[in-house]
Amino acid sequence: QVYKGLDIITNKVSPQEQRLCRHHMISFVDPLVSNYTVVDFRDKAVPLISFHIFARDKIPIVVGGTNYYIESLLWKVLINTKEKPSTAPRPASDRKVELEQLDSAELHRRLSQVDPEMAAKLHPHDKRKVARSLQVFEETGIPHSEILHQQQEEEGGGPLGGPLKYPHSCILWLHADQAALDARLEQRVDDMVAAGLLEELRDFHRRYNREKVAENRQDYQHGIFQSIGFKEFHEYLVSEGDCSPETSALLLEKGIQALKQVTKRYARRQNKWVRNRFLKRPGPNVPPVYGLEVSDLQRWEEDVLKPALEIVESFIQGREPPAEPLRMEQDEKENKRSHRVCELCDRLIIGDREWAAHTRSKSHLHHLKKRRKLEASSRAGGTVRDSGDAETSDKDGSLPL
């Protein structure tokens, strides 16, 4: 939402809602800037909170969304590499982007040489994280893992990073039954289409993307082009006018269904992030998390608004909220850095929980089913061959080698 344009696809707050409450950090970055990072976000948001919101005796409400950006405001977790004047434009060359052009294996090999601890934690195919760790080492001369240890060992630090920037924070987690959430997300996509999504995408494609596509330099991994919803309509946008109306209609429907799927998938990742970061690995520097049930919108007042106001008022007044924060039992034996190779799927899996999820996944079960069929077929074939061999064996019943 920091980028100008694509207001519908990024679900930006409407102008009417913005007039009810002052909003910050919306629509201020040029969409052609591809190297805007979470560090840039933090460097603009923290002064806003300290000198514009707290200074007016107001309370900042951080709305997510993009979870990594929220983390950057809660904890000291980011690493500054090159110092840049805040008013100067970002350099045209971004070292992390350059590193991402390398082969995954080569990237991971380089990281293993300079920071074996970080290399052991990161999946070899996670090019963005591996490239970032290499960038940190190249631009600071210190291994990424060492900097993270220093942050965690600071007073108030913990497993999630350095100390909380704002110790009196609380988190309100709005969650819903999965079926209700999925239905609501699908309806939201339909509402976006009705609100003019296709016109917005056509205009954006014409102004910013057509030339990139023509020169074969389209990049859906950086900047606004990585937003959910843009790449899902790529085929439709680049072929519109050059194919039959029937084909265009099919590509449009394909884009709509893909947008619904990726939106639901992203919502699941958001919920997983809350559970993993706040509930399954709590530490001394984790704010309390209060769950608010939003499955039934008819009960918004009773289930969401009233308890949320009570929790926030309690924090303001310095007393214990009437609601209990969410807690989840930890598995002390869980190894988050275990390495297992699934030979069936030819994949490296890091972490006990991730391995358990992989062995239950559709792709793994599909490969397992195929292997069992092959083994059964092989055993049946072996029985036939053994019987045939027995007919030509020596009289004592032994088989030829």
Side-chain angles (χ1 to χ4, degrees):
Q1 298 199 1
V2 300
Y3 293 98
K4 299 172 187 174
L6 290 183
D7 293 353
I8 297 174
I9 198 69
T10 56
N11 281 286
K12 284 181 183 162
V13 181
S14 69
Q16 294 82 359
E17 288 178 296
Q18 291 193 45
R19 284 194 288 271
L20 295 174
C21 176
R22 187 173 179 183
H23 288 68
H24 304 271
M25 307 292 288
I26 293 178
S27 297
F28 66 95
V29 178
D30 188 305
L32 294 184
V33 173
S34 63
N35 54 1
Y36 184 83
T37 69
V38 67
V39 174
D40 298 311
F41 173 83
R42 179 205 62 187
D43 290 347
K44 185 175 177 65
V46 169
L48 270 173
I49 292 172
S50 300
F51 304 123
H52 294 273
I53 301 178
F54 283 150
R56 292 184 290 115
D57 289 328
K58 301 293 184 181
I59 297 174
I61 301 173
V62 181
V63 184
T66 311
N67 299 322
Y68 190 41
Y69 281 57
I70 298 173
E71 288 188 35
S72 75
L73 301 183
L74 284 174
W75 294 291
K76 180 181 178 181
V77 291
L78 299 179
I79 297 168
N80 293 323
T81 52
K82 291 181 178 177
E83 293 293 327
K84 305 178 295 292
S86 58
T87 57
R90 294 294 301 275
S93 175
D94 187 306
R95 181 55 180 156
K96 179 172 173 286
V97 175
E98 291 175 359
L99 288 167
E100 286 177 19
Q101 306 309 310
L102 297 174
D103 175 76
S104 297
E106 171 63 15
L107 263 182
H108 199 261
R109 185 190 67 78
R110 291 190 185 188
L111 183 61
S112 299
Q113 291 177 338
V114 299
D115 191 351
E117 181 180 343
M118 205 68 197
K121 292 179 179 180
L122 299 178
H123 198 287
H125 293 166
D126 195 342
K127 293 181 74 170
R128 299 185 73 172
K129 288 185 179 179
V130 174
R132 173 57 180 163
S133 289
L134 268 175
Q135 180 195 20
V136 168
F137 176 78
E138 288 183 3
E139 297 181 357
T140 66
I142 305 172
H144 192 178
S145 58
E146 185 176 327
I147 296 176
L148 295 179
H149 284 313
Q150 291 171 0
Q151 289 180 346
Q152 293 168 359
E153 290 168 2
E154 290 182 28
E155 185 177 355
L160 297 180
L164 277 170
K165 288 192 180 79
Y166 311 104
H168 301 294
S169 305
C170 75
I171 295 171
L172 304 177
W173 180 28
L174 279 63
H175 57 89
D177 173 77
Q178 194 63 58
L181 179 59
D182 286 347
R184 200 173 297 161
L185 292 173
E186 292 205 2
Q187 183 60 51
R188 187 174 79 177
V189 172
D190 292 334
D191 293 343
M192 289 160 62
V193 174
L197 171 64
L198 299 181
E199 290 75 14
E200 177 182 86
L201 289 173
R202 283 192 196 100
D203 178 64
F204 197 87
H205 177 68
R206 184 173 61 254
R207 287 190 292 143
Y208 297 110
N209 199 41
R210 182 175 288 169
E211 185 179 336
K212 287 176 174 284
V213 172
E215 297 176 1
N216 197 29
R217 56 187 180 90
Q218 173 56 63
D219 178 10
Y220 286 117
Q221 302 301 318
H222 299 92
I224 196 170
F225 296 102
Q226 65 185 316
S227 301
I228 286 178
F230 199 86
K231 53 185 172 291
E232 282 71 28
F233 288 93
H234 176 81
E235 285 186 87
Y236 172 74
L237 293 171
V238 299
S239 64
E240 194 175 24
D242 296 328
C243 62
S244 68
E246 294 79 12
T247 301
S248 186
L250 286 172
L251 291 175
L252 173 58
E253 182 59 26
K254 179 182 176 182
I256 292 172
Q257 293 305 317
L259 178 55
K260 289 181 178 181
Q261 286 298 112
V262 76
T263 301
K264 290 186 286 187
R265 196 179 306 133
Y266 184 64
R268 284 168 169 77
R269 285 207 305 270
Q270 288 176 313
N271 286 332
K272 182 179 178 182
W273 177 84
V274 173
R275 293 188 184 96
N276 289 344
R277 296 293 283 177
F278 293 131
L279 302 180
K280 290 188 177 179
R281 293 187 287 178
N285 60 342
V286 179
V289 180
Y290 297 91
L292 300 171
E293 174 65 49
V294 295
S295 296
D296 185 358
L297 294 181
Q298 301 298 319
R299 292 185 52 82
W300 177 268
E301 298 278 339
E302 306 96 305
D303 294 347
V304 183
L305 183 57
K306 183 181 177 182
L309 289 173
E310 289 175 348
I311 292 166
V312 173
E313 286 173 358
S314 299
F315 268 81
I316 293 172
Q317 296 167 7
R319 56 184 174 82
E320 284 293 317
E324 283 289 321
L326 296 174
R327 302 190 187 283
M328 192 176 292
E329 289 186 10
Q330 290 179 264
D331 184 355
E332 299 295 338
K333 297 180 181 178
E334 179 189 346
N335 184 352
K336 302 178 182 65
R337 301 301 176 193
S338 63
H339 285 57
R340 295 183 179 90
V341 175
C342 178
E343 295 180 356
L344 274 177
C345 306
D346 191 25
R347 286 185 58 190
L348 169 65
I349 310 296
I350 298 179
D352 290 351
R353 193 183 310 145
E354 287 73 12
W355 174 256
H358 173 72
T359 56
R360 295 192 299 268
S361 68
K362 288 183 179 179
S363 61
H364 177 80
L365 294 175
H366 172 71
H367 284 102
L368 186 61
K369 186 177 180 181
K370 281 181 64 177
R371 187 178 74 173
R372 286 173 176 168
K373 280 186 176 179
L374 285 172
E375 289 176 347
S377 176
S378 177
R379 284 196 298 272
T383 301
V384 172
R385 285 192 299 272
D386 289 349
S387 300
D389 289 342
E391 291 176 2
T392 59
S393 64
D394 294 338
K395 290 183 179 179
D396 61 0
S398 64
L399 296 173
L401 291 177

